[in-house]
Amino acid sequence: MSYRYATEEQMNRLVDYRGAREFHLRKDRSKKDKRMSLNEAIAEYVQDGDILAETGFSYVRSPIQAYFEIIRQKKKDMIGIGSPMSNCSYLMAFDCVKAIHLSYIGVEMRGNDKNFARMIKTQQAELLSLWSHGSMALGFKAAQLGAPFIASKQLIGTDMIKKNPYVKVMDNPVSADSSPVAIIPALYPDVCIIHAQMADRYGNAVIKGPAINDIALSAACRKVIITAEKIVPEMALREDSIASIPFMYVDAVVELPYGAMPGSCPGHYYWHREWWEWLVRIATPSVENIEDFFEYWVFSSKDQFDFLEKLGGVRFLNKVERQMAAAEAKIDDSLVSFDYKEVIPKWD
Amino acid sequence: MTTIAPANPLEMLAYNIALEIHDGQIVYVGTGLPMVGAILAKKTHAKHITMVYESGGQDPLEGEMPWSVGCPFTFRKAPMSMEMAISFGQSALGYVDIAFQGGAQIDMYGNVNTSVIGSYENLKSILPGSGGGNDIGSLTESSVLVGLQTPDRFPERVDFITTPGFLEGGDSREKSGLLGGPTAVVTQVGVYDFDPVSKRMRIKALNPGMTVEIAQACTGFELLLPEGEIPFVEAPTDEILTILREVVDPRGVFTKMPGM
């Protein structure tokens, strides 16, 4: 099987457990101060041609400001993976990602992402393999466990498995009934960026709320960048042993408050729902629209603070902080409104 | 006594979803109408259900209607959140009783397509992909398929099997090694189950005002009929409709008819 935008080496690298181990063995072990700017971290650790794993849950604690920096730095020819992986759509629109291992790209009830559809239809981007959320999650989990594969009951009987060169179905070799299982190989992307609520300068990081695949991905990926709402003293993590990710997995630590905006960050801020509807319903239907949209939100924002100003600055920030605190039942929510105006383009 | 407007088709669909849920069950909930149906069930006949979510939220406190399966209301003061691989493991382990699944196409054997209309080689339209749909439908003891029933959306065979139903029918699912399977299909027209032998979709009950002819006209394959008279789903009481309209989905985000 040959691919338009992926080499055989890139295809094999995703499941190369020896290669991943060798890479990890060569990593700098020293417990050193890994803090740097977002610009430096992306420049050094995200390289053209890398297999980039999405983290968080599309718009929940996802390192979206770091993805915007990837676009600004014009990284190219990367391969996207993740469950879910909705941010890969716009990374494809700007040629950062050219091919994907697909689980799901979309914004649930907000509508289909027409940019993703157009990129695939016009062969400007390519689907390399098809997955469900859970089967891909098991691939990352297998990597974290140090297991070459996991046998599961997902993907069996589907057309997805015909478009997945990695997963094999076989009779269960260890049970009496030999009922078929899907063999899901451990998956080792090259790099992921994880947005954590807290980290120390060495890379020990704390995830609050749903971890999704991020703990597994921190172990599976060859390179890991942590962006964090707060950098805390190491003692703050030692106090109750609360770190989710150990420092030795981590290559770079970036203090990046509001780094998940315009998505949400549990414990910090709610999402900007209209932004996602603007993206899906107004920006993705045409190339021109998505270019204009990203010109305004990304290329003409130098950092997350510029972006936050465009969302409404301090007033917006206070609103989404109150909304998250109310959603988490941490403040009296009786006067906190979740009303919003659904974005319905005039042409719909 | 004032009378209130009868259920619109979306409200009826939400009510049909709710009726599939039994008290005490653990329910795997997705966004949209299944969430409305599950919350309605919890507010009416099934007060002791536990909701779990794909993003890992377990048994959250009640709050606003979640906007996404990753919304903070899916883990509001939850005792814990599970990692994604582990959250689907709950279904395989037998800790989830029922899950709901929608799709662009549902076929006569309950196979679901959320991947592509046409084929990847000859694309008509491309859909978001499986997400957790395949996992839920492959692993959960009972999955209920939810759809707005039209001949296009209910073809004889889906263009692409994203989530397996009974595959080719008969014992093909059982032989394949999959767990659980679809037990019902709920639409604005009625409720369907599957013939125990052929595994073809069969009318179980019709919504008030519906007929076999309407059901058939909304379907791209021949529906099987049950033996004897076809029962009707009882219309929701005013009390249930009031809970649905005032408590469950007060802004009508999911249950107001478009343009009304």
Side-chain angles (χ1 to χ4, degrees):
Chain A
M1 184 86 194
S2 69
Y3 298 92
R4 184 183 291 256
Y5 296 119
T7 63
E8 202 180 327
E9 193 279 327
Q10 282 173 313
M11 291 299 288
N12 293 336
R13 196 159 79 216
L14 180 61
V15 290
D16 181 5
Y17 75 101
R18 281 184 188 280
R21 179 180 145 86
E22 291 299 320
F23 194 100
H24 293 152
L25 278 167
R26 287 197 306 273
K27 269 174 85 151
D28 182 355
R29 262 84 175 117
S30 59
K31 188 176 162 187
K32 62 181 185 190
D33 188 346
K34 296 170 188 166
R35 286 174 295 179
M36 59 185 79
S37 70
L38 179 62
N39 182 288
E40 291 166 329
I42 300 297
E44 185 164 352
Y45 292 105
V46 179
Q47 278 132 20
D48 294 349
D50 272 357
I51 304 167
L52 171 72
E54 264 203 54
T55 57
F57 193 87
S58 293
Y59 21 77
V60 184
R61 203 184 39 71
S62 295
I64 293 171
Q65 293 296 325
Y67 297 147
F68 291 170
E69 180 62 20
I70 287 176
I71 293 177
R72 285 189 292 257
Q73 290 194 18
K74 299 190 177 358
K75 299 289 178 182
K76 58 181 198 298
D77 300 329
M78 290 194 290
I79 289 173
I81 190 168
S83 58
M85 53 191 308
S86 303
N87 296 288
C88 272
S89 171
Y90 58 75
L91 290 171
M92 286 192 274
F94 293 93
D95 287 332
C96 307
V97 167
K98 291 301 285 182
I100 55 172
H101 300 285
L102 176 70
S103 63
Y104 180 92
I105 290 184
V107 193
E108 296 174 63
M109 303 293 290
R110 306 300 108 186
N112 282 345
D113 182 323
K114 297 191 175 75
N115 171 67
F116 162 53
R118 185 172 54 249
M119 297 303 292
I120 300 299
K121 255 187 181 165
T122 57
Q123 301 190 337
Q124 294 177 79
E126 183 179 29
L127 300 176
L128 303 174
S129 66
L130 301 181
W131 301 78
S132 63
H133 274 169
S135 55
M136 189 184 277
L138 285 174
F140 300 142
K141 185 53 81 178
Q144 183 197 7
L145 296 175
F149 61 81
I150 280 179
S152 89
K153 292 289 194 177
Q154 282 115 308
L155 294 181
I156 296 171
T158 66
D159 289 316
M160 282 194 288
I161 210 158
K162 299 173 191 161
K163 303 224 170 263
N164 186 318
Y166 298 113
V167 175
K168 311 280 180 231
V169 175
M170 62 181 286
D171 287 349
N172 185 335
V174 294
S175 85
D177 70 0
S178 75
S179 167
V181 292
I183 301 294
I184 296 171
L187 299 172
Y188 306 93
D190 288 315
V191 62
C192 72
I193 305 153
I194 295 171
H195 190 68
Q197 282 88 353
M198 275 193 268
D200 67 19
R201 62 175 68 180
Y202 311 111
N204 295 304
V206 177
I207 292 173
K208 292 185 188 168
I212 315 296
N213 297 303
D214 296 3
I215 296 169
L217 279 168
S218 72
C221 291
R222 290 169 176 81
K223 301 173 285 182
V224 177
I225 298 170
I226 298 288
T227 63
E229 288 291 325
K230 278 183 202 159
I231 306 296
V232 296
E234 186 193 5
M235 238 347 148
L237 308 187
R238 285 187 181 267
E239 184 68 26
D240 291 307
S241 301
I242 54 172
S244 324
I245 293 169
F247 78 89
M248 64 281 274
Y249 294 173
V250 176
D251 297 278
V253 177
V254 180
E255 184 172 33
L256 199 70
Y258 319 123
M261 282 190 180
S264 68
C265 186
H268 291 270
Y269 41 87
Y270 201 67
W271 46 35
H272 192 297
R273 287 179 287 193
E274 292 91 332
W275 193 93
W276 292 94
E277 293 179 354
W278 293 332
L279 174 68
V280 170
R281 296 179 180 176
I282 297 176
T284 72
S286 82
V287 175
E288 196 186 10
N289 287 9
I290 202 160
E291 282 175 355
D292 284 353
F293 190 78
F294 276 77
E295 177 55 41
Y296 178 73
W297 289 105
V298 176
F299 291 106
S300 68
S301 301
K302 71 176 180 304
D303 58 22
Q304 79 275 26
F305 296 109
D306 279 359
F307 187 91
L308 177 56
E309 284 303 322
K310 290 175 186 174
L311 288 176
V314 173
R315 280 174 201 280
F316 165 76
L317 181 60
N318 183 253
K319 180 178 122 182
V320 289
E321 284 176 345
R322 278 167 56 80
Q323 284 177 328
M324 182 54 90
E328 294 180 332
K330 288 177 181 160
I331 59 171
D332 183 337
D333 60 7
S334 52
L335 291 176
V336 178
S337 169
F338 287 90
D339 283 343
Y340 82 110
K341 199 164 169 6
E342 190 175 346
V343 177
I344 300 168
K346 287 217 169 92
W347 60 75
D348 268 13
Chain B
M1 184 187 146
T2 53
T3 53
I4 66 171
N8 73 37
L10 291 174
E11 289 172 333
M12 199 62 212
L13 183 46
Y15 178 62
N16 285 349
I17 291 168
L19 290 180
E20 293 293 321
I21 298 171
H22 303 298
D23 204 10
Q25 285 185 323
I26 298 178
V27 186
Y28 215 119
V29 191
T31 30
L33 278 170
M35 202 176 282
V36 175
I39 296 170
L40 179 62
K42 188 157 185 156
K43 299 270 180 201
T44 54
H45 65 277
K47 291 192 166 48
H48 309 99
I49 57 173
T50 301
M51 299 197 206
V52 298
Y53 291 88
E54 172 172 337
S55 55
Q58 304 285 308
D59 191 22
L61 285 189
E62 279 179 46
E64 285 267 316
M65 178 85 65
W67 183 85
S68 145
V69 285
C71 183
F73 290 105
T74 69
F75 51 89
R76 176 180 165 93
K77 284 271 179 284
M80 69 174 298
S81 306
M82 288 182 178
E83 291 174 77
M84 186 180 269
I86 294 170
S87 133
F88 289 119
Q90 284 180 291
S91 269
L93 274 167
Y95 279 113
V96 179
D97 298 298
I98 187 167
F100 296 89
Q101 158 107 77
Q105 293 178 326
I106 298 172
D107 73 18
M108 64 195 284
Y109 296 118
N111 300 304
V112 178
N113 175 13
T114 57
S115 295
V116 63
I117 304 295
S119 68
Y120 282 108
E121 291 70 31
N122 187 12
L123 278 172
K124 280 191 199 143
S125 54
I126 190 162
L127 307 167
S130 163
N134 170 274
D135 306 297
I136 285 169
S138 299
L139 306 175
T140 310
E141 183 60 13
S142 165
S143 44
V144 174
L145 313 181
V146 178
L148 283 174
Q149 199 181 337
T150 67
D152 284 352
R153 288 165 176 267
F154 279 58
E156 188 167 323
R157 301 310 305 270
V158 287
D159 292 354
F160 188 96
I161 300 181
T162 314
T163 298
F166 290 107
L167 302 176
E168 318 280 325
D171 61 357
S172 57
R173 182 180 174 109
E174 204 186 320
K175 276 192 182 152
S176 73
L178 292 160
L179 309 173
T183 51
V185 184
V186 297
T187 78
Q188 82 284 13
V189 178
V191 181
Y192 305 83
D193 60 10
F194 295 90
D195 176 82
V197 179
S198 72
K199 307 294 185 190
R200 275 181 53 185
M201 203 184 292
R202 181 173 74 175
I203 297 177
K204 187 178 177 193
L206 292 169
N207 285 343
M210 295 294 161
T211 63
V212 172
E213 290 70 32
I214 295 174
Q216 188 57 66
C218 292
T219 313
F221 54 87
E222 191 195 344
L223 287 164
L224 299 182
L225 305 179
E227 281 179 33
E229 207 170 317
I230 297 173
F232 283 95
V233 179
E234 223 170 282
T237 62
D238 286 1
E239 188 195 357
I240 290 170
L241 277 176
T242 305
I243 291 170
L244 177 58
R245 288 169 188 169
E246 292 178 8
V247 183
V248 179
D249 188 19
R251 285 183 222 125
V253 178
F254 300 104
T255 52
K256 203 172 268 171
M257 292 297 280
M260 292 178 74

